[in-house]
Amino acid sequence: MKCIVPDTSAVIIGAVSELIENGDFDYPEIIVPEAVVCELEHQANANRAEGRKGLEELKKLQEMQEDGELAISFKGKRPTNYDIRYAKSGEIDSIIRDLARSEFATLLTNDKVQAEVAKAQGIPVHYFKQTYTEIPLSIERLFDSETMSVHLKEHVAPMAKKGTPGHIEFVKLENKPYSYSQLSDIVEEILEKAKNDPKTYLESDMEGSFVVQSREYRISIAYPPFAEALEITAVKPVANISLDEYNLSDKLLERIRTSAEGILISGSPGAGKSTFVQAIAKYYSSKLNKIVKTMESPRDLQLPDEITQYAPLEGSMENTADVLLLVRPDYTIYDELRKNTDFNIFADMRLAGVGMIGVVHATRPIDAIQRIASRVELGVIPSIVDTSIYIENGKVTSVYETKMTVKVPTGMKEADLARPVIEVRDFETGELKNEIYTYGEQTIVMDMNLVNGTSTGEKQKSSVDIIAEAEILRKIKRILPKKAKVEVEVISPDRANIYIPDQYVPKIIGKNGKRIAEIERDIGISLGVEIIDEKPVDKTPFEIDITHTRKQMILELGRENGRQNFDILIDGEYLLTATTSKKGEIKIKNGIELSDIILDAIEMGLEITAVRKQ
């Protein structure tokens, strides 16, 4: 082999220099294709380790030429835009093979497919098979049995999260910060292992970011321009427990075993969702003899070999779902549900008859159901999600079940307001926790603890009242001119008043009352129409009464002055502008500067008056 044409893979791994140093070649002629230089230049510009390693190898070959060990030249055409676009289809590899053929040279490659194609075309080829020795990653030494994650960043001391879900500490591992070169070496080591280790996968490769799954370690790498500095985050599960250790009730275990087909597992980051998912997956697979698959990106769940873990097929979970429907698993774990497409795929697979277990980030037990309720038709929610399990501090703290019924939503009274309602109940106690229903054009997820409002001396509006007022106001404003003054007040669970100027009353009522009847039917509540008096504004100052409570000072302007804007004056000097309540009151909290000024004015005997604004 006197004349050698190495391809990009051979240059990157240093195959030429290694063969010459081992004495396999005696002063060979090395012809480096311009296509290889082009690829290396592109990779180096993208801050890829392969590009830098390849260029270092070419520099080393130049030094070896100066020492009289070889002759090196650069030949061939540079790839066109077409060649680059279809590089994955073999266009650049074809350019390199054509050069080897025209120069009557031996092709040197580390690419098995490239070697087989060259043999098929009658081109002399030397396949350089790189030996791989299983060596633990250097970042692994920073982990111990209690370490959940390690955080490395240039010019920052290495940090780690230690403990168990719910009991986590953020600790410093070393006092000396890591340099950029140290982190670069770690990155190259990780990427090199992803190429050679069958249990290490490059899950994501984007401009500024890599995600690698190396056995139980999920490693995220961020570098400029995506991040302002090079950063490495490695995460490892610290717990691997069985479902029995969660001490679930017999009732819940029976549901998981027999009737739970659409399960959402939710909790905040670090709460222990993945650990519980692993436990339930092993339970289905080993104890119940079910076929279990997963859909993950990245594939970081630690599961037995019987459970196959699928990544996005050609970058799409939709393609993965299509394959899984052909595989026909009993249960599929979807980790994690974040985007609209994730929820849609989860719903489609569940409605196709596949048992689904979804993992969702949430801060309250109802949040997981609420997130899917905003993305699918209301009536199919119980068919998609029948059980929601909330994890906190590594324990199951809440379990909800969903059922469809037809009823008058809580907070409404008239029988003709009945509609389909999804009831969300505590699985263990049967207590009604939430109701999901449509109200006008909105999907409402109502917390039963808030339906009746709270009381602090004066009855406050409930959540139902606030939503009802907003929906009625929106519909009324569609009918009236933009500048028309409109107010809405819910006075009881089954009635609300609309306050409008006299000239707009016929427009709201409509012919024979048809328009207001249509609004009442859409809103689900009866409406009364009251006239707002639009007389010329009286700007004559008048005195006001002031009373005190333990928490606030109340300026009383009279019920006839309710819902209007006033300037408050002290001895003719402006103090503030405020809007009165329905009862004609302005409330000021005790202890703030405004209340202190008014108290001083009262002690000094100054006149406190109000003037109505336009």
Side-chain angles (χ1 to χ4, degrees):
M1 293 194 299
K2 284 293 183 179
C3 186
I4 300 168
V5 173
D7 71 355
T8 310
S9 65
V11 174
I12 289 174
I13 65 172
V16 179
S17 59
E18 184 175 335
L19 289 172
I20 294 174
E21 288 171 352
N22 291 338
D24 294 348
F25 296 155
D26 182 19
Y27 197 78
E29 179 187 1
I30 308 299
I31 301 175
V32 179
E34 286 289 349
V36 170
V37 178
C38 181
E39 275 199 282
L40 296 176
E41 183 180 6
H42 172 72
Q43 291 169 350
N45 282 330
N47 204 24
R48 299 285 295 271
E50 300 98 313
R52 294 193 298 272
K53 288 176 67 175
L55 293 177
E56 288 296 325
E57 169 72 357
L58 294 182
K59 287 161 60 179
K60 187 176 181 180
L61 295 179
Q62 292 287 359
E63 293 171 359
M64 295 177 77
Q65 177 177 240
E66 294 175 3
D67 294 339
E69 298 181 47
L70 56 85
I72 185 171
S73 60
F74 297 84
K75 294 183 180 180
K77 69 169 188 174
R78 287 180 66 85
T80 64
N81 288 336
Y82 175 87
D83 298 327
I84 294 171
R85 179 181 300 175
Y86 294 100
K88 290 184 178 180
S89 301
E91 291 300 323
I92 293 180
D93 287 342
S94 176
I95 293 173
I96 296 171
R97 291 195 302 272
D98 288 345
L99 179 63
R101 182 189 295 109
S102 64
E103 295 292 333
F104 301 100
T106 299
L107 177 66
L108 178 63
T109 181
N110 178 236
D111 185 335
K112 184 68 174 176
V113 174
Q114 173 82 312
E116 294 299 322
V117 173
K119 289 178 182 177
Q121 293 181 333
I123 300 170
V125 60
H126 180 82
Y127 174 62
F128 185 89
K129 186 175 181 180
Q130 190 178 25
T131 57
Y132 175 72
T133 304
E134 174 59 37
I135 300 174
L137 293 171
S138 58
I139 200 171
E140 293 182 30
R141 68 177 178 81
L142 300 175
F143 283 84
D144 59 24
S145 60
E146 295 184 345
T147 304
M148 298 180 67
S149 61
V150 169
H151 305 261
L152 306 179
K153 185 177 180 181
E154 60 176 296
H155 310 311
V156 178
M159 305 292 290
K161 285 185 178 180
K162 294 194 174 189
T164 56
H167 304 87
I168 301 171
E169 288 185 275
F170 196 48
V171 299
K172 185 182 289 187
L173 296 176
E174 300 172 10
N175 291 322
K176 185 178 179 181
Y178 272 50
S179 66
Y180 178 84
S181 61
Q182 286 177 295
L183 293 183
S184 294
D185 291 342
I186 294 173
V187 171
E188 289 190 21
E189 177 192 23
I190 293 167
L191 296 179
E192 188 67 29
K193 188 167 186 176
K195 290 180 182 177
N196 300 289
D197 182 9
K199 289 293 185 180
T200 300
Y201 314 98
L202 184 61
E203 298 277 5
S204 171
D205 179 2
M206 293 181 284
E207 185 68 30
S209 172
F210 296 109
V211 178
V212 176
Q213 186 68 37
S214 180
R215 290 173 165 77
E216 70 268 34
Y217 297 93
R218 185 180 72 224
I219 305 170
S220 301
I221 302 166
Y223 57 90
F226 172 59
E228 95 284 358
L230 180 57
E231 180 182 49
I232 304 171
T233 303
V235 181
K236 175 188 176 185
V238 295
N240 189 7
I241 60 181
S242 69
L243 201 62
D244 296 336
E245 296 177 62
Y246 282 92
N247 297 318
L248 303 181
S249 68
D250 293 339
K251 183 179 178 182
L252 180 55
L253 280 173
E254 179 64 20
R255 184 177 183 88
I256 291 173
R257 186 164 50 247
T258 60
S259 59
E261 297 288 337
I263 304 174
L264 287 183
I265 297 171
S266 61
S268 56
K273 299 186 299 297
S274 295
T275 304
F276 183 78
V277 168
Q278 290 168 186
I280 203 170
K282 293 174 185 176
Y283 178 77
Y284 277 125
S285 177
S286 60
K287 297 289 183 68
L288 302 184
N289 293 320
K290 302 290 186 181
I291 299 174
V292 181
K293 309 293 182 184
T294 74
M295 301 169 68
E296 305 171 64
S297 181
R299 291 165 288 188
D300 59 349
L301 294 177
Q302 304 305 306
L303 298 170
D305 292 338
E306 292 80 10
I307 299 175
T308 306
Q309 298 171 259
Y310 290 92
L313 181 59
E314 295 185 347
S316 170
M317 277 296 189
E318 290 184 357
N319 295 336
T320 305
D322 291 341
V323 172
L324 279 169
L325 289 174
L326 298 175
V327 174
R328 297 182 181 178
D330 297 311
Y331 286 91
T332 297
I333 295 170
Y334 200 131
D335 183 33
E336 299 170 346
L337 303 174
R338 289 194 303 270
K339 302 176 183 177
N340 286 341
T341 52
D342 296 328
F343 286 96
N344 290 335
I345 293 168
F346 182 91
D348 287 344
M349 292 190 67
R350 177 67 204 99
L351 294 174
V354 179
M356 296 296 295
I357 303 170
V359 182
V360 186
H361 283 303
T363 55
R364 298 180 305 157
I366 188 60
D367 287 350
I369 300 174
Q370 184 167 354
R371 290 181 68 183
I372 202 165
S374 63
R375 292 170 167 88
V376 301
E377 291 291 332
L378 186 69
V380 300
I381 291 176
S383 300
I384 297 170
V385 179
D386 52 49
T387 309
S388 177
I389 300 174
Y390 185 73
I391 309 293
E392 190 172 11
N393 296 334
K395 299 178 181 178
V396 175
T397 58
S398 299
V399 181
Y400 286 176
E401 61 177 338
T402 59
K403 292 182 179 179
M404 170 73 84
T405 185
V406 176
K407 58 180 280 190
V408 177
T410 304
M412 301 180 186
K413 291 186 177 180
E414 294 188 7
D416 60 357
L417 301 181
R419 64 198 63 204
V421 175
I422 305 295
E423 291 186 337
V424 181
R425 294 184 178 273
D426 186 290
F427 175 72
E428 299 290 350
T429 65
E431 179 186 356
L432 181 62
K433 290 291 187 180
N434 298 85
E435 289 181 347
I436 307 173
Y437 54 90
T438 56
Y439 194 91
E441 298 177 5
Q442 300 183 59
T443 297
I444 307 300
V445 180
M446 186 57 61
D447 188 339
M448 292 299 100
N449 294 329
L450 301 177
V451 167
N452 296 320
T454 58
S455 179
T456 56
E458 179 182 346
K459 188 178 184 305
Q460 297 183 359
K461 293 178 183 176
S462 71
S463 300
V464 173
D465 292 344
I466 294 170
I467 295 170
E469 288 181 359
E471 181 69 12
I472 296 168
L473 189 62
R474 185 177 65 83
K475 285 191 172 292
I476 297 300
K477 283 190 172 182
R478 282 183 178 180
I479 301 169
L480 301 183
K482 289 184 179 180
K483 295 183 178 180
K485 185 177 181 181
V486 183
E487 295 177 8
V488 175
E489 179 187 11
V490 174
I491 58 177
S492 72
D494 55 356
R495 186 171 177 81
N497 280 343
I498 304 168
Y499 299 90
I500 57 175
D502 186 36
Q503 66 266 33
Y504 298 127
V505 172
K507 203 163 190 176
I508 292 297
I509 299 298
K511 188 176 181 181
N512 297 325
K514 286 184 178 180
R515 176 166 282 171
I516 195 166
E518 183 181 334
I519 298 172
E520 288 176 334
R521 185 172 59 254
D522 290 344
I523 298 297
I525 190 171
S526 60
L527 302 174
V529 179
E530 301 286 342
I531 296 173
I532 295 179
D533 190 4
E534 291 192 322
K535 294 179 181 178
V537 175
D538 182 4
K539 293 195 175 185
T540 304
F542 60 92
E543 289 193 31
I544 58 179
D545 295 326
I546 300 176
T547 59
H548 295 272
T549 66
R550 186 169 59 87
K551 294 184 178 181
Q552 57 194 3
M553 173 185 294
I554 303 174
L555 312 185
E556 299 178 354
L557 284 73
R559 185 176 288 273
E560 68 277 6
N561 292 318
R563 300 181 181 276
Q564 298 185 48
N565 295 328
F566 285 87
D567 287 338
I568 306 301
L569 312 175
I570 294 181
D571 207 21
E573 295 291 331
Y574 173 80
L575 176 64
L576 65 99
T577 299
T579 303
T580 58
S581 67
K582 181 179 65 174
K583 294 181 178 180
E585 297 174 341
I586 298 172
K587 297 178 181 179
I588 301 173
K589 186 178 180 181
N590 286 335
I592 66 173
E593 186 179 4
L594 282 175
S595 63
D596 292 342
I597 292 173
I598 295 173
L599 283 174
D600 292 341
I602 293 172
E603 291 177 2
M604 296 170 62
L606 300 178
E607 185 180 40
I608 302 175
T609 57
V611 177
R612 184 180 285 105
K613 290 179 65 67
Q614 179 68 41

